[in-house]
Amino acid sequence: MQSCSVRASHFDLVKTLDSGQVFHWEKYADGFVGTIEQVPVYVEQRGSTLKVSCNGAEQSPGRVIRQYFALDHPLKKICASFPPDAAMNQARDFCRGLRIIRQPKWECLATFICSSMKQVAHIRQISRALRQRYGRKLIICGITTYDFPGAGRLARASEEELRVCGLGYRAKNLLATSRRVATGEAHLEAWNALPDDELRARLCELPGVGAKVANCVMLFAYERIAAFPIDVWIERVLRQNYFARKRKVTPRKLAEFAAGYFGEYGGYAQQYLFHYARLMKRRADPY
DNA sequence: CTCCAGGGATGAT
DNA sequence: ATCATCCATGGA
C-alpha cells in the first residue's frame, strides 16, 4: 500500500463528493473509501492537505489524486467568472471548494443512464449493487470495495439480472449501451476529440441518453466545463430566479438562456446552484 | 403535447 | 405507525 500527502488548496472534499456528480464514495473513518479506475483509494482531508492511501496505482498516488479531483482547475478564476446575481452569489459562497472532478468515461455514462428519474440515494444504491455484483473486489485499509464493471462485463449480463440491482426500466438501456461500447461501435475515448455539439449528438444516440444525461457525461467525464445539465432542481432554480412570474418558458428557452448567461464555466455555475438548492431544501424544514 | 416506467428515501399526518 | 410524494429522464 502506498500513502502520501497531497496539497489541495481551494478544495472541499466533502462538498465535492456529496454534490451529486459521483455516487460511489463511502464515508469511512475520517475520510472516504472509493475507487479511481481500478485503484482502491482512501482519502481524507486535513485543512488544505489530502491524506491518501491506495493500492497498485501505476502512477504516483499524488498524480492520480490531483488528476481525479481536478486540483489544477483555476477555481478562483472560475468563481470570478460567475454572473453577479443574488442566487449565484449565495451558491458560490455556500459551495466554496467544490470542484468538478474527472471521472472515468464509461463509469460516468453508465451511472447517469441509471440516474434517470431516481433520487441521489437510489443512484448510490444502484452503483453499489452493480459494483458488488459485477466489479472486481479490492481491499484498501482493510476495507472491501469494488471497481465499476467494464462495458464488456455488463454486456454479458441479462436484462433480468440487471433489474435485480434496482434498475427497473433502465436495465434495458444500460444493457443496450453496454453492448455498443463493448463492441467498439461507441468509442468513448475516441470521442474525446469531438467538438461539444458533435460529442453531445454522439452521446444522445445511445439508448437511455438524452440531452440531460449527455450534458452530465460531458461535464463530469469529458471536462466540457461549459456543459449545463438541466434537471428538476436546476429547472426550479432557473425559473424562480431568472424567469419569475413568466409563463410558457420552454426547456429549449431555458437551455439557451443558461448557455448564454453563465458563460464559459457554466457547468461549474450549474453544479454550485444544484448543490446549494439541494442542501438548502434538506435543512430548510424545522422552522 | 401527453403519458408512463422501479422503488426506496423522504416528508406528511 | 401508515400513506403520499419525489426523483441529476428518455422514449413512445
Side-chain angles (χ1 to χ4, degrees):
Chain A
M1 184 175 79
Q2 297 175 279
S3 297
C4 69
S5 294
V6 179
R7 172 149 176 78
S9 55
H10 306 292
F11 180 64
D12 189 314
L13 180 65
V14 171
K15 285 192 176 71
T16 298
L17 293 183
D18 195 34
S19 65
Q21 58 178 315
V22 65
F23 302 94
H24 77 277
W25 292 89
E26 307 272 5
K27 279 180 188 150
Y28 174 71
D30 295 321
F32 295 86
V33 166
T35 63
I36 299 176
E37 301 284 356
Q38 282 86 6
V39 178
V41 176
Y42 170 80
V43 55
E44 84 178 53
Q45 182 164 29
R46 294 185 200 165
S48 57
T49 300
L50 296 177
K51 298 291 182 183
V52 181
S53 300
C54 66
N55 267 339
E58 291 178 18
Q59 298 179 312
S60 79
R63 243 184 124 81
V64 171
I65 289 292
R66 275 190 292 271
Q67 169 74 11
Y68 185 76
F69 289 112
L71 299 181
D72 55 311
H73 280 174
L75 203 57
K76 287 187 75 170
K77 179 183 172 187
I78 289 168
C79 288
S81 80
F82 293 161
D85 63 75
M88 197 68 246
N89 285 338
Q90 285 186 352
R92 174 177 46 205
D93 199 42
F94 182 81
C95 297
R96 197 162 297 270
L98 197 170
R99 285 174 185 268
I100 290 181
I101 69 177
R102 294 189 181 96
Q103 298 186 45
K105 293 179 174 57
W106 165 246
E107 171 182 325
C108 183
L109 171 62
T111 304
F112 275 95
I113 286 174
C114 300
S115 78
S116 86
M117 215 47 201
K118 281 280 188 191
Q119 299 189 158
V120 169
H122 289 148
I123 302 166
R124 295 180 61 84
Q125 289 174 4
I126 292 172
S127 171
R128 185 160 48 242
L130 288 173
R131 286 167 178 271
Q132 281 183 9
R133 183 173 276 257
Y134 302 108
R136 291 171 202 237
K137 185 175 182 175
L138 302 165
I139 308 288
I140 182 72
C141 300
I143 294 297
T144 299
T145 186
Y146 300 83
D147 69 353
F148 193 85
R153 179 66 193 92
L154 292 183
R156 274 185 278 117
S158 68
E159 184 181 330
E160 286 310 311
E161 201 181 347
L162 289 175
R163 277 177 178 265
V164 176
C165 299
L167 274 85
Y169 63 91
R170 301 158 195 81
K172 185 175 191 145
N173 291 330
L174 180 61
L175 183 57
T177 293
S178 295
R179 287 176 175 160
R180 287 203 203 176
V181 172
T183 61
E185 181 187 346
H187 198 310
L188 299 185
E189 292 302 329
W191 292 357
N192 217 8
L194 299 175
D196 287 2
D197 289 343
E198 261 183 73
L199 174 58
R200 187 178 292 105
R202 288 285 89 73
L203 289 168
C204 285
E205 289 171 2
L206 298 170
V209 180
K212 193 274 172 182
V213 170
N215 277 321
C216 283
V217 176
M218 290 173 68
L219 179 59
F220 301 135
Y222 284 86
E223 210 175 356
R224 308 301 170 103
I225 297 303
F228 198 99
I230 299 178
D231 74 316
V232 172
W233 291 91
I234 286 296
E235 182 166 342
R236 278 199 290 259
V237 169
L238 292 181
R239 287 184 188 281
Q240 285 173 16
N241 291 290
Y242 307 106
F243 295 90
R245 67 186 179 286
K246 282 192 180 175
R247 303 177 302 109
K248 226 183 155 184
V249 182
T250 63
R252 183 186 176 90
K253 194 78 179 170
L254 285 177
E256 284 174 356
F257 165 77
Y261 182 72
F262 293 101
E264 62 175 324
Y265 299 115
Y268 259 95
Q270 176 278 152
Q271 197 63 20
Y272 280 36
L273 290 170
F274 173 84
H275 187 59
Y276 178 64
R278 213 168 68 85
L279 262 61
M280 278 304 99
K281 188 85 171 189
R282 220 150 67 175
R283 312 200 170 218
D285 237 305
Y287 301 97

